[in-house]
Amino acid sequence: QVQLVESGGGLVQPGGSLRLSCATSGSIFSLNATGWYRQAPGKQRELVAVITSGGSTNYADSVKGRFTISRDNAKNTVYLQMNSLKPEDTAVYLCNADILIRGSTVHIYYWGQGTQVTVSS
């Protein structure tokens, strides 16, 4: 069994910051490429940022310079530091991770349940 649990969302004023965490647990052999997605009401889910197992990162144009994705391999956890938040950043943020389970040779992509981020004054 593998679980992904996002946390750190909440209500913040425009210009504020939040740090999201995507914590994994279970019989994990390796946590590989991991991405943060977001979905706002009535909109398609979009990729916000992704980080590879080697630490290479990529960002959506809308968040470049404001968001930073990072990972702690010892804790199998991925973070999303969000600064200079805007009302248009309001969405449910979800984590998606490529995980190799111990004893398996098959990579499986897991989703977390999401955490709500609301940017409003």
Side-chain angles (χ1 to χ4, degrees), residues 3-4 9 16 22 27 31 37 51-52 56 60-62 64 66-67 70-71 75 83-84 94 101 104 111 116-117:
Q3 283 190 319
L4 270 69
C22 173
S27 186
L31 174 64
Y37 291 74
I51 186 167
T52 68
S56 297
D61 287 343
S62 59
K64 281 182 181 176
R66 301 188 298 122
F67 290 12
S70 62
R71 62 190 296 150
K75 295 181 179 179
N83 299 328
S84 301
L94 305 105
I101 297 175
S104 173
W111 286 95
Q116 176 70 45
V117 172

Side-chain angles (χ1 to χ4, degrees), residues 66-118:
R66 301 188 298 122
F67 290 12
T68 303
I69 190 170
S70 62
R71 62 190 296 150
D72 183 334
N73 290 328
K75 295 181 179 179
N76 280 336
T77 299
V78 173
Y79 305 96
L80 185 68
Q81 178 67 43
M82 306 186 296
N83 299 328
S84 301
L85 283 162
K86 304 175 181 179
E88 51 263 43
D89 294 319
T90 295
V92 175
Y93 283 71
L94 305 105
C95 177
N96 177 255
D98 169 7
I99 292 174
L100 185 61
I101 297 175
R102 293 184 188 279
S104 173
T105 58
V106 178
H107 289 253
I108 299 176
Y109 284 85
Y110 290 87
W111 286 95
Q113 83 291 347
T115 184
Q116 176 70 45
V117 172
T118 302

Side-chain angles (χ1 to χ4, degrees), residues 45-68:
R45 187 173 295 184
E46 63 171 337
L47 178 63
V48 174
V50 62
I51 186 167
T52 68
S53 56
S56 297
T57 59
N58 203 3
Y59 298 91
D61 287 343
S62 59
V63 306
K64 281 182 181 176
R66 301 188 298 122
F67 290 12
T68 303

Side-chain angles (χ1 to χ4, degrees), residues 33-48:
T34 304
W36 281 98
Y37 291 74
R38 66 186 180 187
Q39 187 159 21
K43 294 187 178 181
Q44 285 190 331
R45 187 173 295 184
E46 63 171 337
L47 178 63
V48 174

Side-chain angles (χ1 to χ4, degrees), residues 10-13 18 89-91 116-120:
L11 173 64
V12 64
Q13 292 186 340
L18 285 174
D89 294 319
T90 295
Q116 176 70 45
V117 172
T118 302
V119 185
S120 175

